[in-house]
């Protein structure tokens, strides 16, 4: 299994215009398209652990494809 970066755009429940991207990294052996289709249980778990946020969209990428000097550490899931 290879690590895949699941980027989830989440918005605050009490302020729906306040949104940010959250990075979840998990091991997955499928393609990026398959990752997107398999992501909902991981996203649901994250939202369950962070009830002040709601997920509005997501995408999958291979890690380090868009490195930034000021990027924070991703959260690991599953």
């Amino acid at each position: 299994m290879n690590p895949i970066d699941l980027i989830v755009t989440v918005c605050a429940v009490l302020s729906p215009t306040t949104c940010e991207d959250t990075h979840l990294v998990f091991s997955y052996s499928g393609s990026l398209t398959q990752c997107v289709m398999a992501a909902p249980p991981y996203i649901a778990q994250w939202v369950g652990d962070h009830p002040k946020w709601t997920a509005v969209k997501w995408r999958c990428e291979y890690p380090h494809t868009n490195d930034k000097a000021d990027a924070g550490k991703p959260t690991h899931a599953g």
Side-chain angles (χ1 to χ4, degrees), residues 36-71:
V36 170
M37 294 186 317
Y42 296 101
I43 296 167
Q45 179 181 353
W46 188 93
V47 170
D49 293 340
H50 301 85
K52 294 181 180 182
W53 296 93
T54 186
V56 295
K57 64 180 179 177
W58 60 90
R59 68 185 188 278
C60 294
E61 295 179 355
Y62 293 113
H64 310 297
T65 56
N66 292 317
D67 278 349
K68 296 179 183 175
D70 59 351

Side-chain angles (χ1 to χ4, degrees), residues 5 21-23 25 64 66-76:
D5 195 10
D21 285 345
T22 299
H23 294 250
V25 176
H64 310 297
N66 292 317
D67 278 349
K68 296 179 183 175
D70 59 351
K73 293 179 97 176
T75 304
H76 293 276

